[in-house]
């Protein structure tokens, strides 16, 4: 049976924490409306106690967004939880996300508390948040480096206190996929009340493993993925929403699906990149400028014959108009002929041979050959001038 995976987007919270990515409440609303249209289940709108602007953003999104749950972040601190609850008052579906560090590193050198004290604070925070909303997510910060037995203990207590979702963040992006998957399985096997909550994964990309770790978590029982558009987020970023969604779509054997309307992926990627001043790297999976571009002769010939020779995603599926054939010095005659055809120039075999000779000389001097360059080459061709 195919099971649903909840997509929890934190572009407007973890993504927005990045220096230079700050957004006004109105800008957050603009992106949130597109996230809602994309089909995101939960939008983490901000951290209301952090600033009046972020409080206003969460309040605004709560009053305007009706189809996605609006989530507000808090520490395990009463004032944070009260502030989050006030900001969420107008929401049709509200969630408070509260939690505390659980790794020895965080417990000893950041919180400077005993483990017992950490558990007590977690339980108090979850129970207090439940007095405001029915949907409370508990995060065990730095769960990636937290010993599994202590993690299981605090997760059990958080669920007992009323947590509906338990978030197991790999805050520092430390875990290997097998290790992170095993951590989720450990919780499934050792937390007696685990069936009362959804397990969520929240992975960071410090070692480039955020997406792999998120998929490993799903294979071991997590049913919510925390992610961002274009993978933006603290340091090396968070799990990229578009990657997880397309992996589940391309691998039906996993029996997992999301509600994401994938044709919105490319447009929202461009919007977020522009509004958050964070250009997308050209070779980024799914949404990078080169994700559907082909430039070497062998690949171009294969794609012209049948797109699926070199593409596992149909560009239309993610909102990209079409695959592009980029002309470079590595391109062959098939690609050149294809592009000439696209600008209305049909050549015989001999004519193509002559044009190809001029094309490769120019292509060695320029990175890419544009339509205008092709027209210039054609002007110098005797048969074309006739
Ligand atoms: O990375 C992290 O641990 C977080 C938590 C606040 C959920 O972003
Ligand atoms: Zn995070």
């Amino acid at each position: 049976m195919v099971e649903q995976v909840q997509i929890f987007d934190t572009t407007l919270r973890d993504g927005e924490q990045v220096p230079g990515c700050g957004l006004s409440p109105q800008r957050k609303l603009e992106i949130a409306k597109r996230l809602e249209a994309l089909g995101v289940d939960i939008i983490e709108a901000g951290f209301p106690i952090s600033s009046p602007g972020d409080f206003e953003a969460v309040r605004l999104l709560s009053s305007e967004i009706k189809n996605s749950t609006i989530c507000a972040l808090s520490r395990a601190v009463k004032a944070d939880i009260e502030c989050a609850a006030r900001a969420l008052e107008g929401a049709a579906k509200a969630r408070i996300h509260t939690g505390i560090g659980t790794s020895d590193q965080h417990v000893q050198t950041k919180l400077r508390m005993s483990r017992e004290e950490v558990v007590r604070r977690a339980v108090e925070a979850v129970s207090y948040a439940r007095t405001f909303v029915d949907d409370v997510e508990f995060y065990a910060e730095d769960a990636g480096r937290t010993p599994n037995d202590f993690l299981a203990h605090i997760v059990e207590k958080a669920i007992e206190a009323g947590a509906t979702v338990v978030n197991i963040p790999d805050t520092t992006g430390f875990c290997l996929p097998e290790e992170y998957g095993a951590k989720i399985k450990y919780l499934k096997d050792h937390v007696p009340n685990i069936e009362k909550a959804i397990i969520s994964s929240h992975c960071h990309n410090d070692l480039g493993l955020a997406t792999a770790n998120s998929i490993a978590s799903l294979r071991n029982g997590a049913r919510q993925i925390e992610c961002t558009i274009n993978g933006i987020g603290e340091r090396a970023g968070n799990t990229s929403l578009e990657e997880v969604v397309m992996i589940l779509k391309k691998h039906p054997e996993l029996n997992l699906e999301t509600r994401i309307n994938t044709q919105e992926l490319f447009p929202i990627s461009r919007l977020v990149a522009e509004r958050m001043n964070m250009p997308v790297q050209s070779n980024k999976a799914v949404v990078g400028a080169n994700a559907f571009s082909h430039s070497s002769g062998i690949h171009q010939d294969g794609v012209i014959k049948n797109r699926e020779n070199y593409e596992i995603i149909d560009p239309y599926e993610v909102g990209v108009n079409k695959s592009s054939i980029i002309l470079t010095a590595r391109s062959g005659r098939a690609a050149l002929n294809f592009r000439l055809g696209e600008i209305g120039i049909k050549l015989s075999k001999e004519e193509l041979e002559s044009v190809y000779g001029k094309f490769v000389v120019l292509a060695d001097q320029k990175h890419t050959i544009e339509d205008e360059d092709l027209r210039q080459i054609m002007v110098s061709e005797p048969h074309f001038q006739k």
Side-chain angles (χ1 to χ4, degrees), residues 326-350:
I326 308 288
L327 294 181
T328 71
R330 302 292 155 263
S331 298
R333 289 161 184 79
L336 176 62
N337 199 30
F338 175 80
R339 273 287 288 280
L340 285 168
E342 282 202 319
I343 59 171
I345 300 170
K346 287 210 178 335
L347 300 180
S348 67
K349 223 172 165 196
E350 296 71 39

PDB file of all heavy atoms in Angstrom, residues 326-350:
ATOM      1  N   ILE A 326      22.724  22.561 -25.824  1.00  0.00           N
ATOM      2  CA  ILE A 326      23.655  23.695 -25.762  1.00  0.00           C
ATOM      3  C   ILE A 326      24.808  23.401 -26.715  1.00  0.00           C
ATOM      4  O   ILE A 326      25.438  22.336 -26.615  1.00  0.00           O
ATOM      5  CB  ILE A 326      24.217  23.873 -24.325  1.00  0.00           C
ATOM      6  CG1 ILE A 326      23.088  23.933 -23.293  1.00  0.00           C
ATOM      7  CG2 ILE A 326      25.126  25.097 -24.232  1.00  0.00           C
ATOM      8  CD1 ILE A 326      22.280  25.187 -23.288  1.00  0.00           C
ATOM      9  N   LEU A 327      25.081  24.324 -27.609  1.00  0.00           N
ATOM     10  CA  LEU A 327      26.154  24.083 -28.578  1.00  0.00           C
ATOM     11  C   LEU A 327      27.495  24.538 -28.016  1.00  0.00           C
ATOM     12  O   LEU A 327      27.678  25.707 -27.672  1.00  0.00           O
ATOM     13  CB  LEU A 327      25.843  24.820 -29.886  1.00  0.00           C
ATOM     14  CG  LEU A 327      24.619  24.306 -30.655  1.00  0.00           C
ATOM     15  CD1 LEU A 327      24.429  25.099 -31.943  1.00  0.00           C
ATOM     16  CD2 LEU A 327      24.746  22.812 -30.965  1.00  0.00           C
ATOM     17  N   THR A 328      28.406  23.579 -27.904  1.00  0.00           N
ATOM     18  CA  THR A 328      29.774  23.874 -27.447  1.00  0.00           C
ATOM     19  C   THR A 328      30.743  23.166 -28.395  1.00  0.00           C
ATOM     20  O   THR A 328      30.313  22.437 -29.308  1.00  0.00           O
ATOM     21  CB  THR A 328      30.020  23.333 -26.023  1.00  0.00           C
ATOM     22  OG1 THR A 328      30.071  21.895 -26.109  1.00  0.00           O
ATOM     23  CG2 THR A 328      28.940  23.740 -25.054  1.00  0.00           C
ATOM     24  N   ALA A 329      32.039  23.311 -28.109  1.00  0.00           N
ATOM     25  CA  ALA A 329      33.042  22.652 -28.959  1.00  0.00           C
ATOM     26  C   ALA A 329      32.943  21.133 -28.865  1.00  0.00           C
ATOM     27  O   ALA A 329      33.538  20.410 -29.665  1.00  0.00           O
ATOM     28  CB  ALA A 329      34.435  23.121 -28.567  1.00  0.00           C
ATOM     29  N   ARG A 330      32.199  20.628 -27.864  1.00  0.00           N
ATOM     30  CA  ARG A 330      32.036  19.167 -27.736  1.00  0.00           C
ATOM     31  C   ARG A 330      30.788  18.664 -28.463  1.00  0.00           C
ATOM     32  O   ARG A 330      30.473  17.484 -28.419  1.00  0.00           O
ATOM     33  CB  ARG A 330      31.933  18.757 -26.256  1.00  0.00           C
ATOM     34  CG  ARG A 330      33.110  19.146 -25.404  1.00  0.00           C
ATOM     35  CD  ARG A 330      34.399  18.379 -25.750  1.00  0.00           C
ATOM     36  NE  ARG A 330      35.552  19.181 -25.355  1.00  0.00           N
ATOM     37  CZ  ARG A 330      36.247  19.966 -26.184  1.00  0.00           C
ATOM     38  NH1 ARG A 330      35.949  20.010 -27.465  1.00  0.00           N
ATOM     39  NH2 ARG A 330      37.258  20.682 -25.729  1.00  0.00           N
ATOM     40  N   SER A 331      30.052  19.576 -29.095  1.00  0.00           N
ATOM     41  CA  SER A 331      28.824  19.157 -29.780  1.00  0.00           C
ATOM     42  C   SER A 331      29.147  18.520 -31.129  1.00  0.00           C
ATOM     43  O   SER A 331      30.168  18.845 -31.752  1.00  0.00           O
ATOM     44  CB  SER A 331      27.913  20.367 -30.015  1.00  0.00           C
ATOM     45  OG  SER A 331      27.542  20.928 -28.778  1.00  0.00           O
ATOM     46  N   GLY A 332      28.240  17.695 -31.580  1.00  0.00           N
ATOM     47  CA  GLY A 332      28.443  17.014 -32.860  1.00  0.00           C
ATOM     48  C   GLY A 332      27.526  17.565 -33.942  1.00  0.00           C
ATOM     49  O   GLY A 332      26.768  18.524 -33.722  1.00  0.00           O
ATOM     50  N   ARG A 333      27.572  16.920 -35.097  1.00  0.00           N
ATOM     51  CA  ARG A 333      26.779  17.373 -36.241  1.00  0.00           C
ATOM     52  C   ARG A 333      25.277  17.271 -35.962  1.00  0.00           C
ATOM     53  O   ARG A 333      24.485  18.100 -36.411  1.00  0.00           O
ATOM     54  CB  ARG A 333      27.131  16.538 -37.472  1.00  0.00           C
ATOM     55  CG  ARG A 333      28.517  16.845 -38.004  1.00  0.00           C
ATOM     56  CD  ARG A 333      29.019  15.723 -38.910  1.00  0.00           C
ATOM     57  NE  ARG A 333      30.401  15.973 -39.347  1.00  0.00           N
ATOM     58  CZ  ARG A 333      31.480  15.743 -38.574  1.00  0.00           C
ATOM     59  NH1 ARG A 333      31.363  15.283 -37.346  1.00  0.00           N
ATOM     60  NH2 ARG A 333      32.698  15.978 -39.055  1.00  0.00           N
ATOM     61  N   ALA A 334      24.876  16.205 -35.230  1.00  0.00           N
ATOM     62  CA  ALA A 334      23.439  15.996 -34.971  1.00  0.00           C
ATOM     63  C   ALA A 334      22.868  17.190 -34.212  1.00  0.00           C
ATOM     64  O   ALA A 334      21.790  17.698 -34.559  1.00  0.00           O
ATOM     65  CB  ALA A 334      23.235  14.717 -34.162  1.00  0.00           C
ATOM     66  N   ALA A 335      23.596  17.655 -33.195  1.00  0.00           N
ATOM     67  CA  ALA A 335      23.107  18.781 -32.400  1.00  0.00           C
ATOM     68  C   ALA A 335      23.087  20.062 -33.225  1.00  0.00           C
ATOM     69  O   ALA A 335      22.147  20.850 -33.149  1.00  0.00           O
ATOM     70  CB  ALA A 335      23.994  18.960 -31.174  1.00  0.00           C
ATOM     71  N   LEU A 336      24.157  20.250 -34.019  1.00  0.00           N
ATOM     72  CA  LEU A 336      24.218  21.452 -34.845  1.00  0.00           C
ATOM     73  C   LEU A 336      23.033  21.472 -35.820  1.00  0.00           C
ATOM     74  O   LEU A 336      22.334  22.471 -35.954  1.00  0.00           O
ATOM     75  CB  LEU A 336      25.547  21.494 -35.604  1.00  0.00           C
ATOM     76  CG  LEU A 336      25.708  22.654 -36.596  1.00  0.00           C
ATOM     77  CD1 LEU A 336      25.656  23.996 -35.877  1.00  0.00           C
ATOM     78  CD2 LEU A 336      27.032  22.526 -37.371  1.00  0.00           C
ATOM     79  N   ASN A 337      22.807  20.354 -36.462  1.00  0.00           N
ATOM     80  CA  ASN A 337      21.713  20.261 -37.433  1.00  0.00           C
ATOM     81  C   ASN A 337      20.362  20.492 -36.755  1.00  0.00           C
ATOM     82  O   ASN A 337      19.484  21.178 -37.278  1.00  0.00           O
ATOM     83  CB  ASN A 337      21.751  18.868 -38.090  1.00  0.00           C
ATOM     84  CG  ASN A 337      20.995  18.853 -39.393  1.00  0.00           C
ATOM     85  OD1 ASN A 337      20.921  19.884 -40.072  1.00  0.00           O
ATOM     86  ND2 ASN A 337      20.420  17.714 -39.723  1.00  0.00           N
ATOM     87  N   PHE A 338      20.221  19.962 -35.536  1.00  0.00           N
ATOM     88  CA  PHE A 338      18.977  20.111 -34.771  1.00  0.00           C
ATOM     89  C   PHE A 338      18.716  21.591 -34.485  1.00  0.00           C
ATOM     90  O   PHE A 338      17.630  22.109 -34.706  1.00  0.00           O
ATOM     91  CB  PHE A 338      19.117  19.303 -33.469  1.00  0.00           C
ATOM     92  CG  PHE A 338      17.966  19.442 -32.525  1.00  0.00           C
ATOM     93  CD1 PHE A 338      16.795  18.710 -32.737  1.00  0.00           C
ATOM     94  CD2 PHE A 338      18.032  20.296 -31.435  1.00  0.00           C
ATOM     95  CE1 PHE A 338      15.722  18.832 -31.856  1.00  0.00           C
ATOM     96  CE2 PHE A 338      16.972  20.418 -30.560  1.00  0.00           C
ATOM     97  CZ  PHE A 338      15.807  19.687 -30.772  1.00  0.00           C
ATOM     98  N   ARG A 339      19.764  22.291 -34.002  1.00  0.00           N
ATOM     99  CA  ARG A 339      19.583  23.708 -33.652  1.00  0.00           C
ATOM    100  C   ARG A 339      19.351  24.552 -34.902  1.00  0.00           C
ATOM    101  O   ARG A 339      18.555  25.489 -34.900  1.00  0.00           O
ATOM    102  CB  ARG A 339      20.792  24.231 -32.876  1.00  0.00           C
ATOM    103  CG  ARG A 339      20.694  24.004 -31.386  1.00  0.00           C
ATOM    104  CD  ARG A 339      19.674  24.928 -30.707  1.00  0.00           C
ATOM    105  NE  ARG A 339      20.144  26.301 -30.635  1.00  0.00           N
ATOM    106  CZ  ARG A 339      21.013  26.724 -29.710  1.00  0.00           C
ATOM    107  NH1 ARG A 339      21.451  25.897 -28.776  1.00  0.00           N
ATOM    108  NH2 ARG A 339      21.428  27.959 -29.720  1.00  0.00           N
ATOM    109  N   LEU A 340      20.056  24.211 -35.990  1.00  0.00           N
ATOM    110  CA  LEU A 340      19.829  24.962 -37.231  1.00  0.00           C
ATOM    111  C   LEU A 340      18.374  24.782 -37.661  1.00  0.00           C
ATOM    112  O   LEU A 340      17.702  25.734 -38.055  1.00  0.00           O
ATOM    113  CB  LEU A 340      20.779  24.470 -38.333  1.00  0.00           C
ATOM    114  CG  LEU A 340      22.245  24.929 -38.194  1.00  0.00           C
ATOM    115  CD1 LEU A 340      23.146  24.149 -39.151  1.00  0.00           C
ATOM    116  CD2 LEU A 340      22.385  26.428 -38.457  1.00  0.00           C
ATOM    117  N   GLY A 341      17.885  23.559 -37.532  1.00  0.00           N
ATOM    118  CA  GLY A 341      16.477  23.264 -37.876  1.00  0.00           C
ATOM    119  C   GLY A 341      15.534  24.113 -37.032  1.00  0.00           C
ATOM    120  O   GLY A 341      14.537  24.634 -37.528  1.00  0.00           O
ATOM    121  N   GLU A 342      15.873  24.277 -35.751  1.00  0.00           N
ATOM    122  CA  GLU A 342      14.996  25.051 -34.848  1.00  0.00           C
ATOM    123  C   GLU A 342      14.910  26.515 -35.270  1.00  0.00           C
ATOM    124  O   GLU A 342      13.916  27.175 -35.001  1.00  0.00           O
ATOM    125  CB  GLU A 342      15.509  24.969 -33.402  1.00  0.00           C
ATOM    126  CG  GLU A 342      15.159  23.653 -32.746  1.00  0.00           C
ATOM    127  CD  GLU A 342      15.154  23.743 -31.234  1.00  0.00           C
ATOM    128  OE1 GLU A 342      16.054  24.396 -30.674  1.00  0.00           O
ATOM    129  OE2 GLU A 342      14.238  23.162 -30.626  1.00  0.00           O
ATOM    130  N   ILE A 343      15.977  27.027 -35.935  1.00  0.00           N
ATOM    131  CA  ILE A 343      15.894  28.429 -36.389  1.00  0.00           C
ATOM    132  C   ILE A 343      15.572  28.486 -37.895  1.00  0.00           C
ATOM    133  O   ILE A 343      15.789  29.489 -38.566  1.00  0.00           O
ATOM    134  CB  ILE A 343      17.165  29.248 -36.032  1.00  0.00           C
ATOM    135  CG1 ILE A 343      18.440  28.640 -36.639  1.00  0.00           C
ATOM    136  CG2 ILE A 343      17.311  29.416 -34.538  1.00  0.00           C
ATOM    137  CD1 ILE A 343      19.667  29.541 -36.495  1.00  0.00           C
ATOM    138  N   GLY A 344      15.052  27.398 -38.413  1.00  0.00           N
ATOM    139  CA  GLY A 344      14.497  27.394 -39.773  1.00  0.00           C
ATOM    140  C   GLY A 344      15.511  27.184 -40.879  1.00  0.00           C
ATOM    141  O   GLY A 344      15.246  27.519 -42.031  1.00  0.00           O
ATOM    142  N   ILE A 345      16.689  26.627 -40.562  1.00  0.00           N
ATOM    143  CA  ILE A 345      17.692  26.414 -41.623  1.00  0.00           C
ATOM    144  C   ILE A 345      17.858  24.918 -41.882  1.00  0.00           C
ATOM    145  O   ILE A 345      18.218  24.159 -40.975  1.00  0.00           O
ATOM    146  CB  ILE A 345      19.054  27.056 -41.221  1.00  0.00           C
ATOM    147  CG1 ILE A 345      18.863  28.567 -41.018  1.00  0.00           C
ATOM    148  CG2 ILE A 345      20.130  26.769 -42.265  1.00  0.00           C
ATOM    149  CD1 ILE A 345      20.051  29.270 -40.400  1.00  0.00           C
ATOM    150  N   LYS A 346      17.578  24.533 -43.125  1.00  0.00           N
ATOM    151  CA  LYS A 346      17.711  23.110 -43.484  1.00  0.00           C
ATOM    152  C   LYS A 346      18.898  22.965 -44.430  1.00  0.00           C
ATOM    153  O   LYS A 346      19.010  23.715 -45.407  1.00  0.00           O
ATOM    154  CB  LYS A 346      16.440  22.636 -44.196  1.00  0.00           C
ATOM    155  CG  LYS A 346      15.257  22.487 -43.285  1.00  0.00           C
ATOM    156  CD  LYS A 346      14.344  21.375 -43.807  1.00  0.00           C
ATOM    157  CE  LYS A 346      13.141  21.106 -42.941  1.00  0.00           C
ATOM    158  NZ  LYS A 346      13.227  21.446 -41.548  1.00  0.00           N
ATOM    159  N   LEU A 347      19.790  22.009 -44.152  1.00  0.00           N
ATOM    160  CA  LEU A 347      21.006  21.860 -44.961  1.00  0.00           C
ATOM    161  C   LEU A 347      21.150  20.440 -45.493  1.00  0.00           C
ATOM    162  O   LEU A 347      20.685  19.482 -44.848  1.00  0.00           O
ATOM    163  CB  LEU A 347      22.244  22.175 -44.108  1.00  0.00           C
ATOM    164  CG  LEU A 347      22.354  23.585 -43.499  1.00  0.00           C
ATOM    165  CD1 LEU A 347      23.649  23.693 -42.707  1.00  0.00           C
ATOM    166  CD2 LEU A 347      22.316  24.654 -44.585  1.00  0.00           C
ATOM    167  N   SER A 348      21.824  20.338 -46.640  1.00  0.00           N
ATOM    168  CA  SER A 348      22.159  19.004 -47.150  1.00  0.00           C
ATOM    169  C   SER A 348      23.356  18.502 -46.334  1.00  0.00           C
ATOM    170  O   SER A 348      23.986  19.272 -45.597  1.00  0.00           O
ATOM    171  CB  SER A 348      22.544  19.092 -48.634  1.00  0.00           C
ATOM    172  OG  SER A 348      23.770  19.807 -48.724  1.00  0.00           O
ATOM    173  N   LYS A 349      23.703  17.229 -46.549  1.00  0.00           N
ATOM    174  CA  LYS A 349      24.833  16.638 -45.813  1.00  0.00           C
ATOM    175  C   LYS A 349      26.133  17.410 -46.071  1.00  0.00           C
ATOM    176  O   LYS A 349      26.906  17.709 -45.157  1.00  0.00           O
ATOM    177  CB  LYS A 349      25.001  15.177 -46.267  1.00  0.00           C
ATOM    178  CG  LYS A 349      25.254  14.265 -45.120  1.00  0.00           C
ATOM    179  CD  LYS A 349      25.229  12.831 -45.571  1.00  0.00           C
ATOM    180  CE  LYS A 349      25.863  12.031 -44.455  1.00  0.00           C
ATOM    181  NZ  LYS A 349      26.264  10.732 -44.801  1.00  0.00           N
ATOM    182  N   GLU A 350      26.359  17.768 -47.360  1.00  0.00           N
ATOM    183  CA  GLU A 350      27.602  18.472 -47.727  1.00  0.00           C
ATOM    184  C   GLU A 350      27.624  19.866 -47.105  1.00  0.00           C
ATOM    185  O   GLU A 350      28.648  20.333 -46.602  1.00  0.00           O
ATOM    186  CB  GLU A 350      27.737  18.602 -49.259  1.00  0.00           C
ATOM    187  CG  GLU A 350      27.875  17.290 -50.009  1.00  0.00           C
ATOM    188  CD  GLU A 350      26.579  16.477 -50.020  1.00  0.00           C
ATOM    189  OE1 GLU A 350      25.493  17.093 -50.155  1.00  0.00           O
ATOM    190  OE2 GLU A 350      26.657  15.236 -49.857  1.00  0.00           O
TER     191      GLU A 350
END
